[in-house]
Amino acid sequence: MGRILEINGPLVKLELPETVLGEQVRVGRLGLIGEVIGRDGNTALAQLYEDTAGLRPGEVAEGLGWPLSVELGPGLLGAIFDGVQRPLQAVREQSGDRMARGVAVPSLPRDKRWRFVPDANRHAGGALAGGDVLGTVRETESILHRILTPPLMHGELLELAPEGDYTIEEAIGRVRLADGSIEKLRLFHRWPVRTPRPFKRRDHAVAPLITGQRILDTFYPLLKGGKAAIPGPFGAGKTMLQQQIARWCNAEIVIYVGCGERGNELTDVLEFMPELKDPHTGRPLMERTLLVANTSNMPVVAREASIYVGITLAEYFRDQGLDVVMVADSTSRWAEALREVAGRLGQMPVEEGYPAYLGSRLAAFYERAGRVETLAGAHGSVTLIGAVSPPGGDFSEPVTSHTKEIIQTFWALSKELADARHYPSVDWLESFSGYVGSAAKWWAENVDPNWESARAEALDLLSASEELQRIVNLVGVEALSSEQRWTLEAASLIKEGLLQQSATDEIDSFASPEKQYALLAAMLEIFRQGMKLVKLGAPARRLIQMPVLAQARRWKSQHTSDDIAALKTKIAAIPGEFDKLMLEYEQTA
Amino acid sequence: MKNIEFRTATSAQGGLLVMGGVPGVAAGSRVQVRDHAGRLRSGLVIRCADDAVLVEVFEGTDQLDLERTWVRFLDEPFKLPVSRDILGRIFNGAGLPRDGRPPIISGDRRDVNGEPLNPAARAYPREFIQTGISAIDGMNSLTRGQKLPIFSGGGLPHNRVAAQIVRQAKLLGEESSEFVIVFAAFGASHADARFFQESFAESGVLNKVAMFLNLADEPVIERLLTPRAALTAAEYLAFDLDYHVLVVMTDMTAYAEALREVAVLRGDVPARKGYPGYLYSDLAEIYERAGRIKNRRGSITMIPVLSMPSDDITHPIPDLTGYITEGQIVLGRELANQNVYPPVTVLPSLSRLMKDGVGKNFTREDHPHVASQLFASYAKALEVRGLAAIIGAEELGDADRRYLEFANAFERRFIGQGEDEDRSVYETLNLAWDLLSMLPRDALIRVSEAELAKYHKGVTA
Ligand SMILES: Nc1ncnc2c1ncn2[C@@H]1O[C@H](COP(=O)(O)OP(=O)(O)OP(=O)(O)O)[C@@H](O)[C@H]1O
Ligand SMILES: [Mg+2]
């Protein structure tokens, strides 16, 4: 037993020899939990996950002997945990609507029985290696939870329980380890959150993550196993976009980490997820989702831990051979938590108060994303999507600029677009994706061989229009040639009829790849038909008044993804719309 | 321990007092400081070890010495006595009466720091509040349980707007407001405080208001306590007594400046513009106290007022506030100079809870689309206005000229309204359609064709 020497905000100095850096400590009469971040002589410096008010020098402290770890097993899905994996629903039942301190509730329910089905290929006497699948538990209708051997365990399987109902603490098997000792197997195991879970090797990411959002999937794709960032000033739509991804993406598991953001946003997710259906499986979304929540008013040290808790949970499902998406809102709050602790430690700040290791910590965190071959030989992935909240919306600040160097897909949100309520406010000029080549293969095979060129054509149009707009802003639209005016109009058609996609529009909230391509092709078809006419001498003024332009802008909200046929009929009719004018100008030409 | 006075001060400087050799002092506990003249001050333990305890003195350390300063450690955090009787009363920034009437006697004393709500206990706010102000109700609506600040600047009528909201706020279908009000002013001028007091008196609600005042010439450090005391009162009224509480706080900039002052004294590492890195978390502790709780009737709706230093919305105070609150109502100088009241600059204004609280089952089915269309059309109209300033309005095409007229009408008739004008949300929506009807139907693609057919008044296709 040690004792408290000094309390300074979330940091406490303890007289506690022999503790290890990273070790968990229990401090004071309230039994607050924290972790050791420094040693000096007989003292240990610890940061606590809970508010330290009321602690006194002289109160007891003890080392617990293990680092911050999470429990991994059935019971995770559909739950909401705090930044150190306390189950918030259960905590509420025990201690009421407000977060009382020192509450100890196990992360996974202890009394619940799960139907365990042993793996048919596992037999007593066989060799067992870390990551091997012992059997399965059908945790939710849509998710078959594979029970894994703890990653570092190797030995001989002595016994595996028959099919039956077990709590997570009951033994479902025994293993003889290399040193001859015998260990029990259970439905769950623990893993330290700051250590990446091992896998056999990294794989190439191959398939795009379909989010149903056109500006993302069609223009700046992300792959399953990829890394993306969503920077943007307040109110630009980072949270909405992440929620859209959590709702609609074709991953098997979604981990939503609310890191230092609003309580109501998590309530929102908790309320809509059970009601919405996964468009890919038809099951309630909550069955595949879990939340980690350290809201902005909760203690800052647990905020720093929360994204590690999230990513470890993600890796665990990856190790079962699943495709996992983790969204983190917002990584800036995590970085600020890091900064706050660094400041109290008196570490030298380098830029805007951030410690020198900000960049390397960020990089190491994003490195935990990826598509891998698991220890058991399956394939799984973790896709990581982090929101970034730059102060003043300035992308040159440290967190945004470091993140930009790490990720491959950059969805930059723009204040101007958000102000005009053009959502998602993803800036089509500032954003980028390093995955277009791989995505193109998938689109060519699964949707349309012309995807890549159509995408490029639309982007060219958008950047050409940016140039033209600059001229217009100086001298007015009359100064443009008809060709230029038509280009401008077509770009605006693409912005309004394709890029703009309201999350609140029931029909358009999700667009299948087929619908995305159909709309893209439609807008380009209108552009080409018009351009033909302009080249024949038709003035853009006349073209701009064509009713099809207003109509095409509404197509996205008139046809669901299941109703592509009707949309295609309209597209097929586009040339007809131009025929009358065409006739007129072909004659004069 | 509570009854022992220590006289072991080892240093005093800029609001901070260091006490030597007081073992076992609890972090965050309240202290009472008695100076050589017998005057009492209060303070807070912000750092403690057996050999040195750091105390923040709310009234400052002016005229303290080390030899004749006696300190008692009260062994508990700052607490506010709460009872129904706080309504109709005026307190100072630390929660003591300043209206000359006796202190609140109650066995129920609450830690002003509160405790964070368990996110799983929150109920999502969905009830539309009609403020009677078109720029708010029509485009940036307020919801019961929301935190929606007013971003303003020196000389702009934020107080009048806040007072108008307080006067007019009610749920749809209610005759008059069901709200009780908690009003907190920190660093406010006497004139501002008087303005609100008179406004409450005029509308006859004084007995429904609890006021917490720390004025511009009063102790700066006490401001760190004021919003916390006020919100403790609000939480009690909302979640113990089932009231719907409207909290108006002014001015968050004064609060943040006080925080910076203390942070500099403590030697905390600054992040931006000298503000400490924890400004975000600190503000969040305040703002996140708004909301609703499952299975409880009451609610806390928060309208903080904040002046943007040099009208700069990217300044850390509005910036961090915007990152925490559920939107913002931005007042602008340009409109104010043209005598538009309330001068709400709608484009940078936002209500994040609007999407879940207006429309079919809440206000009227066309409401979300109309709002979105107004934003789009007005944004476009401002572009045209910018162009007109360069090439001259006469050079504009026909369509563009219509946008120019739309912009002017929108600002005068939709945003602009009387300080006593209480528009129903239906009046607001009808007015919006009057204005949208100035534009061609084809240009209005954010409203549905059915809505166009039903509400658009223009003849042109
Ligand atoms: N895709 C979208 N469709 C419709 N509305 C949207 C969309 N994205 C954003 N919005 C609107 O913008 C508001 C702000 O979005 P959001 O809360 O996601 O911003 P944010 O970037 O996360 O801000 P902060 O950094 O402050 O958390 C939403 O409440 C919603 O009204
Ligand atoms: Mg957000």
Side-chain angles (χ1 to χ4, degrees), chain A residues 233-240 261-262 423 502-503, chain B residues 322-323 350 352:
Chain A
F234 66 80
K238 299 178 291 298
T239 303
M240 284 288 277
E261 293 288 313
R262 303 172 184 80
Y423 297 122
S502 172
Chain B
Y323 271 123
L350 170 70
R352 294 158 194 265

Side-chain angles (χ1 to χ4, degrees), chain A residues 79-264:
Chain A
I80 175 169
F81 298 101
D82 79 353
V84 288
Q85 212 204 5
R86 272 177 298 207
L88 287 170
Q89 312 271 23
V91 167
R92 178 169 178 239
E93 276 157 32
Q94 191 177 102
S95 66
D97 292 335
R98 298 192 179 269
M99 297 295 291
R101 291 182 294 160
V103 179
V105 182
S107 303
L108 295 176
R110 290 298 191 262
D111 45 0
K112 184 157 180 173
R113 294 189 168 274
W114 303 93
R115 183 115 203 131
F116 171 69
V117 181
D119 192 290
N121 300 320
R122 291 255 159 257
H123 302 289
L128 194 69
D132 281 347
V133 177
L134 297 166
T136 56
V137 164
R138 179 151 296 283
E139 181 168 358
T140 66
E141 197 74 38
S142 49
I143 299 297
L144 192 63
H145 198 123
R146 291 152 188 87
I147 304 303
L148 302 179
T149 313
L152 303 181
M153 183 183 275
H154 290 271
E156 179 196 344
L157 183 64
L158 297 178
E159 188 187 351
L160 189 61
E163 178 170 347
D165 297 334
Y166 303 90
T167 68
I168 60 165
E169 279 181 321
E170 282 166 343
I172 53 153
R174 287 183 308 133
V175 187
R176 191 196 330 264
L177 304 182
D179 63 3
S181 65
I182 292 178
E183 193 122 329
K184 284 184 182 143
L185 292 165
R186 296 189 166 81
L187 290 178
F188 84 113
H189 64 267
R190 291 198 173 82
W191 188 262
V193 300
R194 294 186 197 276
T195 310
R197 285 173 63 90
F199 47 81
K200 203 175 277 171
R201 67 177 68 85
R202 280 187 188 271
D203 273 348
H204 284 299
V206 281
L209 180 80
I210 299 301
T211 66
Q213 312 303 303
R214 289 183 290 270
I215 181 80
L216 310 189
D217 298 350
T218 298
F219 288 91
Y220 298 103
L222 174 61
L223 299 185
K224 286 179 180 168
K227 314 175 235 186
I230 310 179
F234 66 80
K238 299 178 291 298
T239 303
M240 284 288 277
L241 197 56
Q242 288 192 318
Q243 288 186 355
Q244 283 293 87
I245 295 169
R247 260 178 235 202
W248 303 126
C249 76
N250 61 346
E252 290 158 301
I253 302 284
V254 173
I255 303 201
Y256 188 104
V257 182
C259 174
E261 293 288 313
R262 303 172 184 80
N264 277 335

Side-chain angles (χ1 to χ4, degrees), chain B residues 14-40:
Chain B
L16 297 181
L17 185 66
V18 180
M19 300 292 296
V22 192
V25 171
S29 108
R30 222 180 108 202
V31 299
Q32 193 181 65
V33 180
R34 187 162 60 86
D35 66 17
H36 58 88
R39 278 185 306 247
L40 294 182

Side-chain angles (χ1 to χ4, degrees), chain A residues 469-505:
Chain A
Q469 193 60 49
R470 237 166 271 151
I471 303 178
V472 171
N473 289 348
L474 287 176
V475 289
V477 74
E478 303 300 330
L480 298 186
S481 69
S482 258
E483 222 168 284
Q484 290 171 322
R485 280 190 73 173
W486 181 242
T487 303
L488 211 52
E489 177 63 23
S492 127
L493 178 66
I494 288 179
K495 291 176 207 168
E496 292 174 22
L498 186 69
L499 300 185
Q500 207 184 83
Q501 186 178 0
S502 172
T504 55
D505 181 329

Side-chain angles (χ1 to χ4, degrees), chain B residues 94-355:
Chain B
L96 299 173
R98 63 182 289 157
D99 53 7
R101 291 164 55 196
I104 301 288
I105 307 291
S106 166
D108 197 351
R109 295 165 64 250
R110 307 243 168 129
D111 180 352
V112 298
N113 293 305
E115 277 176 322
L117 258 185
N118 184 328
R122 281 186 188 269
Y124 196 74
R126 293 184 196 279
E127 290 165 298
F128 174 82
I129 296 175
Q130 179 179 296
T131 67
I133 297 174
S134 293
I136 297 177
D137 296 350
M139 300 171 76
N140 299 290
S141 69
L142 179 64
T143 302
R144 200 135 89 171
Q146 183 171 12
K147 37 191 180 293
L148 187 64
I150 298 175
F151 284 11
S152 185
L156 293 177
H158 41 264
N159 288 345
R160 285 158 58 203
V161 177
Q164 188 174 0
I165 295 175
V166 170
R167 262 197 322 273
Q168 300 180 353
K170 52 182 164 289
L171 289 198
L172 268 192
E174 274 179 0
E175 278 301 301
S176 64
S177 170
E178 257 192 27
F179 288 102
V180 299
I181 297 143
V182 170
F183 176 76
F186 14 95
S189 69
H190 287 266
D192 286 348
R194 193 166 339 107
F195 168 83
F196 277 101
Q197 240 158 316
E198 283 168 4
S199 156
F200 295 141
E202 263 168 43
S203 36
V205 294
L206 266 183
N207 60 343
K208 284 168 55 179
V209 187
M211 283 196 235
F212 294 81
L213 306 179
N214 163 291
L215 300 180
D217 51 0
E218 291 172 345
V220 169
I221 302 184
E222 191 181 276
R223 282 171 207 167
L224 301 184
L225 216 53
T226 313
R228 293 183 164 81
L231 284 162
T232 302
E235 282 174 352
Y236 172 76
L237 292 167
F239 303 124
D240 284 66
L241 302 186
D242 287 347
Y243 283 114
H244 294 292
V245 186
L246 203 56
V247 179
V248 176
M249 300 192 291
T250 178
D251 177 334
M252 293 311 293
T253 301
Y255 172 82
E257 282 168 354
L259 190 74
R260 173 170 68 177
E261 215 175 300
V262 174
V264 169
L265 289 173
R266 289 186 189 178
D268 293 337
V269 180
R272 274 177 80 215
K273 298 212 166 158
Y275 290 91
Y278 52 80
L279 177 60
Y280 175 83
S281 302
D282 190 280
L283 288 174
E285 276 174 21
I286 294 172
Y287 295 137
E288 279 284 314
R289 289 172 83 167
R292 308 212 59 169
I293 302 179
K294 279 180 194 149
N295 307 323
R296 308 243 190 145
R297 283 204 50 217
S299 62
I300 297 180
T301 308
M302 198 188 284
I303 304 184
V305 176
L306 155 176
S307 48
M308 299 183 280
S310 1
D311 289 350
D312 176 9
I313 199 170
T314 68
H315 182 282
I317 301 169
D319 190 50
L320 295 181
T321 296
Y323 271 123
I324 303 164
T325 53
E326 285 143 349
Q328 65 278 339
I329 302 296
V330 183
L331 303 188
R333 214 161 285 284
E334 215 169 301
L335 286 175
N337 288 344
Q338 291 163 36
N339 273 322
V340 174
Y341 173 91
V344 177
T345 315
V346 289
L347 295 191
S349 298
L350 170 70
S351 166
R352 294 158 194 265
L353 299 186
M354 182 167 180
K355 61 185 190 321

Side-chain angles (χ1 to χ4, degrees), chain A residues 218-220 428-429 454-464 494:
Chain A
T218 298
F219 288 91
Y220 298 103
W428 44 87
L429 297 177
R455 170 186 179 273
E457 189 178 350
L459 280 176
D460 285 347
L461 251 174
L462 289 168
S463 66
I494 288 179

